[in-house]
Amino acid sequence: MRFSATAAISAAALLSGTVNADAQSVLSEASSSVASVASDASSAATSATELPELPTFTPTTIKGDFVEQFTDDWEARWKPSHAKKDTKGSDKDEEWAYVGEWAVEEPHVFKGMEGDKGLVVKNAAAHHAISAKFPKKIDNKGKTLVVQYEVKLQNGLECGGAYLKLLRDNKALHQDEFSNVSPYVVMFGPDKCGSTNKVHLIINHKNPKTGEYEEKHLATAPSARIVKTTELYTLIIHPNNTAIIKLNGEQVKEANLLEDFQPAFNPPKEIDDAKDTKPDTWVDEARIPDPEATKPEDWDEDAPFEIVDEAATKPEDWLESEPLSIPDPEAVKPEDWDDEEDGDWIAPTVSNPKCDEVSGCGPWEKPTIKNPEYKGKWTAPYIDNPAYKGVWAPRKIKNPDYFEDKHPANLEPMGAIGFEIWTMQNDILFDNIYIGHSVADAEKFADETFNEKHPIEQLVELSEKPKVDETKPPRSPSDLVFTEDPIHYIKEKLDLFFTIAQNDPIQAIKFVPEAAGGLAAVLVTLLAVIVGVVSMSGSSAPPQVKKAAEKVKSTAVDAKDKVAEAAASGVEQAKAEKRSTRSTS
């Protein structure tokens, strides 16, 4: 059986109060191991931040219905819109134009690949619209639809969208006139403003009876990741009406098109009859006052709620002759006070200090108490209504607009992709768009692009975090703050804990409760994060980083086991002492 480090130490301390020499020896070794772990962790973190050489962008050979990496010929496909934003039905009187500018350039924040360019939103607080037509329309009837693209919020995102639209294929599709009212089939991607933070999934569905389109929203959308590194958004719609959303290759949402969208794709079979009305004789009061109940003869509705307490007596220390307030004896008439102009000067009043030390001052009156005879106004008790018919509801009739679309995953044909957004932050970068029918190709495309640069971007972000000022004088362990330097905090706290625990485990737990409360677990978690970051970088991570991370991991496990061994030794010693005591009693 293996003990957790902190639980085992606590158990040993509580059972024994002392630790034998062998346990002290192991504790000493554990302390050294902990110091080694922290040191190795620091070395691993330092190694991890020694950035590897950036990979160089290479155009992909993967094919799809539409694959975009914003190479030099991007302007042949993408056209900015010059339309006016339609504000009909809103409370805005002014006319908005899509004046936001677009550019294709490399990122300037946490760059992870050399020569990798993306489509960038250049203006803050502006309306942007741009689109690109597909080489041929995309019809996913009976097929899986895969939509994947990268979003890099170089300046964060406080209020704005970073979603894309797949536009409906029709003859009226003109890129110069692309706007918020242009008909689309799918809208997908992050959107944040205030407390709203979600990954939109909206499908524009056609009513086969009326020919009208209605937006169907994913009812519980996952949250977007608002970070400055590149994030990969993937949407997969299968022919079995299952929709899957992935962030950075990890599934964060699975939804059923027939069950998890509002309003529902299919209308109800029956609806309320609008012509049906509630009969005048319908009784919908479930309970009524008992008509047979009568007020009791002794019920006095006029009895007051409170009465004078006739049994009360004036306290012996009550000072009736003393006023509650007196002129302030320390107040002095101001030197510039003119009695003729300002009137007679009167000192301000203060609470009578004599009243503070007694029950009260001034005229004494008997207090009031709750009247035991008070009953208030009588009302008849309620009983079940014998005439009650229940809650009335209009009768149901067949829905004349009912239809059943068993395959809403068969979307309308799509002819273009567009970004139509408003945002308060500029420098939002879009890149590596894949639209097709192969999940495997989308994953392979991500391996060539996102998975190559994302780990490096994380390392760049880590390397640019503020460094600890080594010129400052050393601080006491009690003054350390975990968030300022987690590795140093853990090292110092555990070092102090083990030093004290070698002589008195109980005092160690009292003096350094963080250790007893789970610092070892925090250490292992932190090391796992470091190892995770390194392992995600795959072939991009330098060999020395991987080696340091593996050393940290093995040392951490060794330290944890030594702590458990020390605690187990203490427990056995305590049990032996108890047996000895019983045998001699």
Side-chain angles (χ1 to χ4, degrees), residues 11-286:
L14 293 173
L15 286 171
S16 66
T18 59
V19 182
N20 61 19
D22 291 338
Q24 290 183 359
S25 175
V26 176
L27 269 173
S28 178
E29 292 180 21
S31 176
S32 300
S33 297
V34 168
S36 176
V37 167
S39 176
D40 289 344
S42 179
S43 299
T46 302
S47 299
T49 55
E50 292 175 359
L51 302 178
E53 183 179 350
L54 297 185
T56 301
F57 167 77
T58 302
T60 186
T61 57
I62 292 174
K63 303 298 181 182
D65 289 272
F66 184 79
V67 178
E68 180 61 78
Q69 293 187 289
F70 297 100
T71 48
D72 292 342
D73 58 344
W74 71 276
E75 289 182 295
R77 296 178 294 279
W78 292 85
K79 303 294 182 185
S81 173
H82 302 291
K84 303 290 185 181
K85 189 177 179 72
D86 190 337
T87 57
K88 291 179 181 179
S90 70
D91 56 357
K92 298 182 177 69
D93 295 330
E94 64 267 43
E95 187 177 52
W96 296 105
Y98 291 100
V99 297
E101 297 176 343
W102 299 85
V104 167
E105 57 193 27
E106 294 186 51
H108 62 82
V109 176
F110 306 150
K111 183 177 177 179
M113 182 177 287
E114 199 67 53
D116 185 25
K117 296 180 180 180
L119 181 67
V120 180
V121 173
K122 295 305 294 179
N123 306 102
H127 295 266
H128 294 72
I130 194 170
S131 62
K133 285 190 175 183
F134 298 145
K136 61 179 181 179
K137 71 177 181 181
I138 299 176
D139 188 348
N140 79 309
K141 187 175 182 179
K143 303 176 184 177
T144 294
L145 176 67
V146 183
V147 180
Q148 180 171 282
Y149 74 116
E150 295 174 359
V151 179
K152 188 176 179 67
L153 307 171
Q154 299 186 87
N155 293 326
L157 187 64
E158 295 177 6
C159 189
Y163 43 79
L164 58 75
K165 292 180 178 180
L166 302 184
L167 306 180
R168 194 187 315 155
D169 182 61
N170 57 49
K171 295 180 180 179
L173 182 59
H174 300 294
Q175 291 177 268
D176 287 344
E177 300 173 3
F178 171 48
S179 71
N180 59 312
V181 295
S182 297
Y184 70 90
V185 179
V186 175
M187 178 172 142
F188 171 65
D191 187 22
K192 183 183 186 303
C193 196
S195 59
T196 298
N197 179 22
K198 65 172 67 175
V199 179
H200 277 298
L201 174 52
I202 306 173
I203 297 176
N204 234 343
H205 183 252
K206 183 179 181 179
N207 185 317
K209 280 201 167 185
T210 64
E212 296 179 350
Y213 287 85
E214 186 178 39
E215 291 182 347
K216 311 294 184 179
H217 295 247
L218 178 61
T220 54
S223 297
R225 293 177 182 169
I226 310 302
V227 294
K228 295 183 179 181
T229 53
T230 298
E231 299 298 297
L232 183 69
Y233 290 84
T234 306
L235 168 65
I236 304 170
I237 299 179
H238 292 293
N240 65 355
N241 298 323
T242 299
I244 293 174
I245 295 177
K246 293 183 178 182
L247 267 63
N248 297 350
E250 296 179 2
Q251 181 173 314
V252 295
K253 182 69 178 181
E254 180 175 337
N256 187 305
L257 268 61
L258 294 173
E259 299 174 0
D260 301 321
F261 282 73
Q262 293 292 337
F265 278 89
N266 294 322
K269 291 183 178 181
E270 293 184 328
I271 59 172
D272 293 339
D273 185 357
K275 297 179 180 180
D276 191 18
T277 58
K278 184 172 73 171
D280 295 337
T281 58
W282 189 276
V283 179
D284 52 10
E285 293 179 335

Side-chain angles (χ1 to χ4, degrees), residues 309-465:
D309 185 3
E310 297 296 343
T313 58
K314 184 177 70 173
E316 294 182 358
D317 62 345
W318 192 279
L319 304 178
E320 282 193 291
S321 59
E322 287 290 338
L324 290 172
S325 59
I326 60 173
D328 186 355
E330 297 181 1
V332 180
K333 184 170 73 172
E335 294 181 359
D336 59 349
W337 188 277
D338 189 328
D339 289 341
E340 293 183 359
E341 293 184 3
D342 302 325
D344 294 334
W345 180 80
I346 301 175
T349 58
V350 295
S351 298
N352 189 343
K354 294 180 180 181
C355 301
D356 296 337
E357 301 174 358
V358 295
S359 300
C361 295
W364 181 82
E365 295 179 353
K366 290 185 177 182
T368 58
I369 58 173
K370 186 177 180 181
N371 184 0
E373 302 298 325
Y374 173 78
K375 295 184 178 180
K377 184 175 178 61
W378 181 85
T379 56
Y382 274 72
I383 60 171
D384 291 339
N385 188 352
Y388 176 63
K389 294 185 177 181
V391 178
W392 183 86
R395 63 174 172 266
K396 296 290 185 179
I397 60 173
K398 290 184 178 180
N399 185 357
D401 296 324
Y402 173 73
F403 64 85
E404 184 179 16
D405 183 352
K406 295 183 178 180
H407 305 286
N410 289 336
L411 306 176
E412 292 279 300
M414 294 157 280
I417 179 177
F419 293 98
E420 186 271 317
I421 58 178
W422 177 87
T423 175
M424 287 298 294
Q425 279 69 45
N426 63 344
D427 288 344
I428 298 174
L429 184 147
F430 303 105
D431 198 6
N432 293 317
I433 303 170
Y434 172 89
I435 301 172
H437 308 287
S438 173
V439 175
D441 283 350
E443 291 176 350
K444 185 178 179 182
F445 189 40
D447 287 338
E448 294 179 1
T449 54
F450 174 79
N451 291 331
E452 282 289 318
K453 63 186 174 184
H454 186 250
I456 298 177
E457 290 183 11
Q458 291 180 309
L459 292 176
V460 174
E461 182 182 24
L462 185 64
S463 70
E464 293 185 7
K465 286 187 176 180

